[in-house]
């Protein structure tokens, strides 16, 4: 497992900079080094003269410090542009966004206070549209989520279901928008200030939604004001392994004090969006995953679906095929560069004619698929790599076997990593017996996912209509920290390059594949 990173968190500073940084320096000497300090709530106050001590280099800030933006109109003047340095080693995160430090810790942040549904924000408020933007931004990367969410305001109803809650004073600055954002992002830690009280909530397990995200637990922390007279805790230390470098088993580990989630997505969206939440449709080519099981439709004839091969992206005779990606063509199978590949040598093995899955292939085509696999093994091993082959017969119409090379050193515990990831998403990957073929355990037309490991072990699962199967599951596992450590490349759409670059890559791969090309 990757080394844990040490993080300090503090509440509203409100101009007490010497108190803060003296304490941080002492903690850093005793228990450090710490990787970063996150400040929530009001960083500036009525009197900010102490800041000049650090701004002009009289005193130094020992730990890289990141602060949120203004929560009051009178504080706007202290903040320059997003992402700028307020003084040496003190950085303003910005209005909204995701910050990833050099060790891989991901921090999603939203500065200011909620505008309470008003259209348009200003320098010290944020809107629901800002929250939606941040949610979409976070979803583009790793589907695992973020390590930390920082909002100055507490999320509304965060204390619900927490029997250990000892806070008696009512909250003044809580908001439904922060609650909705927390429920969408599922951070491991959610940090807030402004209330002047310390509150460490029992962890709660986030429900899995329609986005195939993991059922991650969140810990909420509300920090008191720096140097407060009541001596409530205003600084807190945590040690975290970056979420993208953790095993699913560790990430999903439960604690004895967990509670149910205090937030209800339907309630929040009814309040915030002023409408009833509509269920998302689960669309599937050739196979309707929302349809009843066969025994439920034995008296109902399924409508035959006609498929237009001229519109298929992968039928080689189709005008829709991007032929500049093709590396080699056999009698019944071709090899192509994967669009938006995980790595440069990420390739696809596809049948020339239209076949939906590998278990529906004629025997002669299966033989040629195996020849391509063997050829790729020979090519990859020259680079000290071996391929992982995976296929998703779900929400796709033409068989594609993805071939992704991974370093030899990354193969350790590969089977366990795939199985742990599957368990985290609520399904089981079965191991195919060596004497069986996939078409002997899966019926034609049934959606499935399968992966062939470098040692030729095959893991598979039948995708049930009730499952929330993640479309990018294969890429997600291979992109994880223990294997390729490419968390920002899970979605192929985010990895697409210009055609000129693709053409150069194809030319390079044709040359590399030539010694093993049996089709010539």
């Amino acid at each position: 497992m990757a080394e844990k990173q040490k993080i300090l968190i503090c509440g509203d500073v409100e101009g007490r900079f010497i108190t803060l940084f003296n304490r941080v320096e002492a903690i850093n000497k005793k228990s450090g080094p710490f990787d970063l300090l996150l400040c929530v709530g009001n960083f500036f106050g009525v009197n900010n003269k102490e800041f000049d001590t650090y701004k002009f280099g009289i005193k130094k800030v020992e730990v890289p410090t990141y602060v949120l933006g203004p929560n009051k109109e009178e504080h706007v003047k202290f903040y320059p542009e997003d992402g700028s340095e307020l003084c040496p080693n003190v950085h303003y995160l910005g209005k909204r966004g995701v910050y990833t430090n050099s060790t891989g810790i991901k921090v999603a942040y939203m500065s200011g206070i909620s505008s309470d549904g008003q259209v348009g924000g200003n320098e010290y408020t944020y809107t629901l549209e800002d929250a939606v933007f941040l949610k979409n931004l976070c979803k583009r990367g790793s589907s695992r989520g973020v390590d930390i969410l920082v909002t100055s305001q507490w999320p509304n109803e965060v204390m619900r279901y927490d029997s250990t809650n000892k806070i008696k004073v009512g909250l003044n600055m809580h908001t439904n928008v922060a609650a909705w954002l927390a429920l969408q992002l599922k951070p491991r830690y959610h940090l807030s200030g402004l209330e002047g009280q310390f509150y460490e909530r029992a962890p709660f397990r986030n429900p899995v939604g329609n986005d195939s995200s993991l059922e991650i637990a969140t810990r909420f922390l509300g920090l008191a004001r720096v140097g407060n007279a009541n001596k409530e805790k205003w600084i807190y230390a945590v040690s975290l392994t970056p979420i993208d470098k953790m095993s699913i088993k560790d990430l999903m580990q439960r604690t004895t004090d967990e509670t149910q989630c205090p937030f209800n997505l339907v309630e929040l969206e009814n309040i915030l969006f002023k409408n009833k939440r509509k269920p998302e449709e689960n669309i599937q080519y050739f196979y309707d995953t929302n349809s009843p099981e066969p025994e439920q439709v034995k008296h109902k004839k399924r409508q035959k679906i006609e498929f237009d091969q001229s519109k298929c992206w992968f039928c080689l005779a189709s005008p829709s095929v991007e032929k500049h990606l093709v590396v080699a063509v056999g009698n019944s199978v071709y090899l192509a560069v994967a669009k938006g590949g995980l790595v440069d040598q990420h390739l696809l093995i596809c049948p020339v004619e239209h076949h939906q899955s590998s278990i529906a292939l004629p025997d002669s085509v299966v033989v040629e698929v195996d020849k391509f696999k063997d050829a790729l093994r020979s090519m990859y091993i020259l680079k000290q790599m071996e391929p992982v082959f995976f296929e998703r017969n779900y929400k796709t119409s033409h068989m594609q076997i993805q071939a992704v090379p991974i370093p030899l050193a990354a193969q350790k515990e590969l089977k366990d990593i795939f199985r742990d990831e599957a368990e985290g998403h609520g399904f089981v990957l079965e191991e195919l017996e060596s004497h069986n073929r996939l078409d002997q355990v899966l019926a034609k037309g049934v959606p499935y996912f399968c992966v062939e490991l470098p040692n030729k072990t095959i893991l598979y699962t039948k995708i049930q209509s009730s499952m929330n199967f993640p479309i990018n599951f294969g890429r997600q596992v291979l992109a994880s920290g223990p294997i390729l450590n490419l968390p920002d490349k899970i979605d192929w759409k985010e990895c697409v390059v210009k055609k000129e670059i693709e053409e150069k890559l194809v030319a390079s791969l044709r040359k590399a594949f030539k010694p093993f090309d049996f089709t010539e």
Side-chain angles (χ1 to χ4, degrees), residues 234-252:
W234 55 265
I235 194 162
Y236 196 96
V238 298
S239 294
L240 282 178
T241 299
I243 192 169
D244 289 321
K245 297 180 181 179
M246 290 185 69
S247 70
I248 287 292
K249 184 178 181 180
D250 290 334
L251 194 58
M252 300 294 292

Side-chain angles (χ1 to χ4, degrees), residues 342-343 404-407 410 477-487:
L342 259 176
V343 292
V404 180
I406 64 172
V477 177
L478 295 179
S480 65
I483 306 176
L484 292 175
N485 194 23
L486 298 170

Side-chain angles (χ1 to χ4, degrees), residues 332 351 353-355 357-369 444:
S332 306
E353 296 182 350
H354 195 81
H355 298 284
S357 67
S358 61
I359 63 174
L361 295 177
D363 290 343
S364 60
V365 182
V366 172
V367 169
E368 196 165 23
V369 167
K444 291 181 181 180

